[in-house]
Every structure is written in C-alpha cells, then in structure tokens.
Amino acid sequence: MSNNNYVEILKYAMNMEKKAEEFYGMYLNKVQAESNKEIFKELAEMEDDHYEILKKELDKIKADGKFNDIDTSALKGGEDIFKTNERDIKNIDFSKVVEDLPILRMAYAMESDFAKFYTEAAKSADDPNAKKLLEVLADWEIKHRDSFDEEIKLATQNSWFNNSFAPF
C-alpha cells in the first residue's frame, strides 16, 4: 500500500473519530439514564484520544513515510466503559434507558461502521505497524459495538418484562 493510501485512511479515520466525539458530546446531554451519560462522556474523551493517536501517525507518515511502532498495550481501549455485567441491575432506571434506545441504536450503528472500516483497512495494510494500529482500533470499536448491543438488549428485554410482554 502506498503512503498516499495510508494518508487517506488516516485522514478518513480522524474525521470519523472527530464526528464520534461530537456525537457523544452532543447526545451526552440528551440521554436520560445516568449510566448512559457516563458512557457517552467517557466515549467522547476516548474518541478524542483515538483522534490524537491517528494525528500523530499521520504526521509521522507525512514526515518520513513510516508508522511508529506503538506499544498498543499502553493505549486506552475503553474496555471498562461498559460495565453492564458489573453494575447493580436493581439500581438502573430502565424507563430512562428505554427512552435512550434510539440514541443507543445510532451509537451501535456508528461503532459498527467504525469496526468495519478499521477491519478492512487493517486487511489491506502491508506496513506491520499500520496493521497493528488498525487492528487494535478495530478491536476497540468491535468491543464498543458489542457493548452497545448488550445495553440495547438489556433495556429492551427489561422493558418487555416490566410490561408483561414476551414476543418470543
């Protein structure tokens, strides 16, 4: 892959991360459940971190045509942002979470798109450092997507239970 391709991938990824930061920042004040407010606040900060990582790589590749050998284990991936299994389910106000479902679904779709983009970009990368970075970003976005999926399922199922409705 040429450096021009990497530059375009990085520019596109930076734009995606900036839009995600804006999305989470904007909807932070619109989601009702406190747990979702916390998730959106942390994700907005994380998307900014992703942007900065990508910017450093873009600057590096423009300067000398090479990616940094990043210690990806030191990067914050956000695995702890979603704590569905660790939270006290009894203290969650599911009526508010249900109100947040449309926003959670938009976040799920966005994270799914990011995961797909990074996965495909990593497949086409021939620079080992670029491949490693893109794979780590793909993995993080997959975890975010899957966590939103769990949040959506939990809220939906709880709503059905509270309304004595079981479609399956």
Side-chain angles (χ1 to χ4, degrees):
M1 179 180 296
S2 75
N3 281 351
N4 286 341
N5 288 354
Y6 285 125
V7 166
E8 291 308 311
I9 287 171
L10 291 171
K11 284 181 177 178
Y12 183 79
M14 288 168 60
N15 184 52
M16 287 186 345
E17 297 294 345
K18 190 53 71 180
K19 295 297 181 193
E21 177 188 4
E22 292 169 4
F23 173 87
Y24 290 122
M26 180 176 69
Y27 283 103
L28 168 66
N29 297 318
K30 296 185 186 292
V31 290
Q32 301 297 310
E34 283 303 314
S35 59
N36 289 334
K37 288 182 187 297
E38 291 172 30
I39 289 168
F40 277 43
K41 180 181 182 289
E42 290 186 43
L43 281 172
E45 292 169 4
M46 181 164 300
E47 301 299 357
D48 184 54
D49 290 345
H50 292 179
Y51 176 88
E52 292 301 323
I53 292 166
L54 293 164
K55 184 173 181 343
K56 284 179 188 172
E57 290 307 305
L58 179 62
D59 293 344
K60 175 90 165 93
I61 200 164
K62 282 182 173 180
D64 64 14
K66 298 178 183 176
F67 278 82
N68 288 307
D69 183 12
I70 298 174
D71 177 12
T72 54
S73 66
L75 298 176
K76 183 179 168 187
E79 295 82 7
D80 59 339
I81 290 176
F82 296 89
K83 300 173 185 161
T84 303
N85 294 330
E86 298 171 16
R87 290 185 299 193
D88 183 359
I89 300 293
K90 294 175 188 170
N91 291 328
I92 296 175
D93 183 349
F94 281 102
S95 65
K96 289 184 177 180
V97 176
V98 168
E99 288 180 35
D100 294 343
L101 278 173
I103 298 170
L104 295 177
R105 287 188 175 111
M106 286 188 293
Y108 169 86
M110 181 176 60
E111 296 292 344
S112 182
D113 289 347
F114 288 4
K116 191 179 300 181
F117 170 77
Y118 286 127
T119 299
E120 292 304 314
K123 285 180 188 175
S124 64
D126 49 16
D127 179 297
N129 292 330
K131 186 177 227 35
K132 181 169 72 168
L133 174 64
L134 293 166
E135 286 173 343
V136 166
L137 288 165
D139 184 53
W140 290 347
E141 304 300 352
I142 289 166
K143 287 177 183 168
H144 296 169
R145 178 202 64 202
D146 293 349
S147 295
F148 273 119
D149 188 47
E150 288 301 315
E151 292 286 322
I152 291 165
K153 285 179 186 172
L154 183 64
T156 302
Q157 290 170 355
N158 190 276
S159 173
W160 292 343
F161 178 77
N162 286 341
N163 291 302
S164 302
F165 174 69
F168 305 108

